[in-house]
């Protein structure tokens, strides 16, 4: 074991002794390393490195039964309990799990590292599978629940255990692409015409690429205020409280470079904790750091089923933190109750 890892391990042990409730992500920030590098220092103790056979591992998660799926970015955490049903990796760029509980869009090209973790916590032993990008940032985590099959978990870990169980992890920086073309270089009239001609919400991303506009720039250059209107960030809180009160089913999308996780259904219990606004339901939790929100927009996209309304939330780099929609399926118009709720805000 090298002195670097040894020091890193010692530094983390010291941090944990000082602050037993410090989460690994925050500890990594404090120590100036990535979460994967910190996790790797525990290999051979509480951590097992797995082979990077992501689609094979994910295709077997159903055997674990009811688990908790966690996907997050810097500002928002999305936790959903359920069973991983209907994996589809037929598209090499985007894998899918589609069902009522676990609903994921997986961009496997960004997945680089996999670990199994068995840690002690104040709630007893916690077992999880954790997946990271090349930069060592967490992409997706799967935690066992009291309803999971622990023996199936152990068998899965044994099956995919990597030969290399070293305590060092190499990470490479993934550059952020935040360059935005000046508005003067965009064919704004053609862009606005394309927006008005959308037939499906999924065409929106392709349209951004075609015209070379960033997402927040697109909202600024929208054809009119009906299609994109900037609002105060308090709208997010009012919307979630309103949806909880009216029992309105909504969709909540949270993602990062390698994964998007979706909750569809009602939200019930909402509450504040410091800067974080939270949904705390039995099978779904959302934690949103309101202090990190830079922009919130109400966005409408024309489709063959009528307008689809979203509330889109951005950080100061212009990256999307979370998106909210009314519950809908392609082929059906949007819920009028969702339109009314958004209009009331």
């Amino acid at each position: 074991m090298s002195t670097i890892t040894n020091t890193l391990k010692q530094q983390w042990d010291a941090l944990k002794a000082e602050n037993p409730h410090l989460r690994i992500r925050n500890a990594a920030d404090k120590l100036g390393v990535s979460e994967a590098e910190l996790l790797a220092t525990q290999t051979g103790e509480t951590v097992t490195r797995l082979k990077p056979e992501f689609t094979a591992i994910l295709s077997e998660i159903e055997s674990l039964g009811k688990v908790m799926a966690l996907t997050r970015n810097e500002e928002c955490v999305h936790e959903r309990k359920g069973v991983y049903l209907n994996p589809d990796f037929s598209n090499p760029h985007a894998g899918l799990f589609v069902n009522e509980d676990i609903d994921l869009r997986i961009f496997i090209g960004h997945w680089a590292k996999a670990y199994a973790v068995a840690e002690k916590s104040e709630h007893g032993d916690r077992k999880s599978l954790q997946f990271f990008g090349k930069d060592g940032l967490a992409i997706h985590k799967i935690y066992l629940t009291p309803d999971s099959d622990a023996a199936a978990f152990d068998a899965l870990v044994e099956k995919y255990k990597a030969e290399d169980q070293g305590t060092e992890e190499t990470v490479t920086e993934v550059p952020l692409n935040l360059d935005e073309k000046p508005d003067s270089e965009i064919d704004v009239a053609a862009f606005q015409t394309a927006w008005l001609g959308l037939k499906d919400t999924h065409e929106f991303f392709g349209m951004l690429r075609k015209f070379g506009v960033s997402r927040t720039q697109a909202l600024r250059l929208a054809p009119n205020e009906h299609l994109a209107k900037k609002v105060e960030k308090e709208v997010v809180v009012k919307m979630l409280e309103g949806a909880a009160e009216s029992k309105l089913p909504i969709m909540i999308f949270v993602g990062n470079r390698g994964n998007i996780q979706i909750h569809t259904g009602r939200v019930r219990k909402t509450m504040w904790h410091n800067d974080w606004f939270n949904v705390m339901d039995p099978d779904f939790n959302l934690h949103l750091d309101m202090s990190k929100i830079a922009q919130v927009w109400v966005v409408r996209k024309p489709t063959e089923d009528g307008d689809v309304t979203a509330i889109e939330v951005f950080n100061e780099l212009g990256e999307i933190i979370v998106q909210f929609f009314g519950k809908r399926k392609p082929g059906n118009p949007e819920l009028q109750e969702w339109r009314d709720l958004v209009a009331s805000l």
Side-chain angles (χ1 to χ4, degrees), residues 149-210:
D149 184 336
F153 176 89
D154 295 341
L156 190 71
V157 173
E158 196 50 49
K159 180 173 176 181
Y160 290 102
K161 185 177 180 176
E163 281 187 19
D164 169 19
Q165 292 295 323
T167 55
E168 281 183 45
E169 184 57 273
T170 48
V171 297
T172 51
E173 212 171 307
V174 178
L176 276 173
N177 178 21
L178 297 172
D179 294 337
E180 195 173 84
K181 269 198 228 173
D183 291 0
S184 57
E185 288 179 26
I186 309 290
D187 185 344
V188 177
F191 166 72
Q192 293 182 340
T193 303
W195 186 324
L196 292 165
L198 288 172
K199 298 273 187 277
D200 184 311
T201 53
H202 297 105
E203 293 173 1
F204 193 76
F205 184 66
M207 179 185 75
L208 301 187
R209 289 180 73 162
K210 180 182 171 185

Side-chain angles (χ1 to χ4, degrees), residues 45 153 161 164 171 186 205 256 270 279 283 286 311 335:
E45 295 172 31
F153 176 89
K161 185 177 180 176
D164 169 19
V171 297
I186 309 290
F205 184 66
N256 52 47
T270 59
V279 175
D283 283 345
L286 184 79
I311 294 175
L335 291 171

Side-chain angles (χ1 to χ4, degrees), residues 161-319:
K161 185 177 180 176
E163 281 187 19
D164 169 19
Q165 292 295 323
T167 55
E168 281 183 45
E169 184 57 273
T170 48
V171 297
T172 51
E173 212 171 307
V174 178
L176 276 173
N177 178 21
L178 297 172
D179 294 337
E180 195 173 84
K181 269 198 228 173
D183 291 0
S184 57
E185 288 179 26
I186 309 290
D187 185 344
V188 177
F191 166 72
Q192 293 182 340
T193 303
W195 186 324
L196 292 165
L198 288 172
K199 298 273 187 277
D200 184 311
T201 53
H202 297 105
E203 293 173 1
F204 193 76
F205 184 66
M207 179 185 75
L208 301 187
R209 289 180 73 162
K210 180 182 171 185
F211 289 95
V213 292
S214 76
R215 200 166 186 113
T216 48
Q217 186 177 27
L219 303 183
R220 241 191 19 251
L221 299 175
N224 55 54
E225 265 210 342
H226 171 72
L227 294 176
K229 184 177 171 61
K230 201 173 187 180
V231 294
E232 297 297 318
K233 64 181 177 183
E234 288 66 36
V235 160
V236 175
V237 172
K238 288 178 183 159
M239 179 276 295
L240 283 167
E241 289 176 340
E245 202 177 307
S246 62
K247 302 182 170 57
L248 176 68
I250 59 174
M251 301 179 80
I252 304 175
F253 289 64
V254 173
N256 52 47
R257 215 179 256 129
N259 192 42
I260 295 171
Q261 185 165 308
I262 305 159
H263 165 74
T264 302
R266 285 169 47 192
V267 294
R268 292 170 173 82
K269 185 182 179 187
T270 59
M271 58 185 281
W272 281 95
H273 179 68
N274 301 329
D275 286 333
W276 295 75
F277 190 68
N278 307 278
V279 175
M280 302 295 284
D281 291 344
D283 283 345
F284 172 62
N285 286 189
L286 184 79
H287 312 288
L288 176 60
D289 187 345
M290 295 295 293
S291 69
K292 301 253 179 77
I293 293 175
Q295 302 181 38
V296 179
W297 291 78
V298 173
V299 184
R300 293 182 178 90
K301 303 177 187 105
T303 75
E304 290 181 327
D305 310 316
D307 281 0
V308 170
T309 311
I311 294 175
E312 302 194 349
V313 182
F314 297 87
N315 66 16
E316 56 190 14
L317 296 176
E319 297 172 310

Side-chain angles (χ1 to χ4, degrees), residues 80 127 155 158 258 322:
R80 188 71 170 83
K127 289 185 170 182
E158 196 50 49
V322 54

Side-chain angles (χ1 to χ4, degrees), residues 50-55 57 111-114 160 162:
L50 303 179
K51 296 173 190 164
E53 296 175 12
F54 308 112
T55 54
I57 294 171
W111 294 45
K113 306 164 196 306
Y160 290 102

Side-chain angles (χ1 to χ4, degrees), residues 107-168:
F107 310 107
I108 216 82
H110 292 290
W111 294 45
K113 306 164 196 306
Y115 289 95
V117 183
E119 59 198 329
K120 300 256 182 267
S121 77
E122 62 263 41
H123 309 299
D125 291 350
R126 291 190 83 185
K127 289 185 170 182
S128 59
L129 299 169
Q130 305 193 7
F131 304 95
F132 298 84
K134 299 177 188 75
D135 52 8
L137 277 179
I139 287 177
H140 188 54
K141 298 181 180 180
I142 300 168
Y143 286 89
L144 296 199
T145 69
D147 301 318
S148 308
D149 184 336
F153 176 89
D154 295 341
L156 190 71
V157 173
E158 196 50 49
K159 180 173 176 181
Y160 290 102
K161 185 177 180 176
E163 281 187 19
D164 169 19
Q165 292 295 323
T167 55
E168 281 183 45

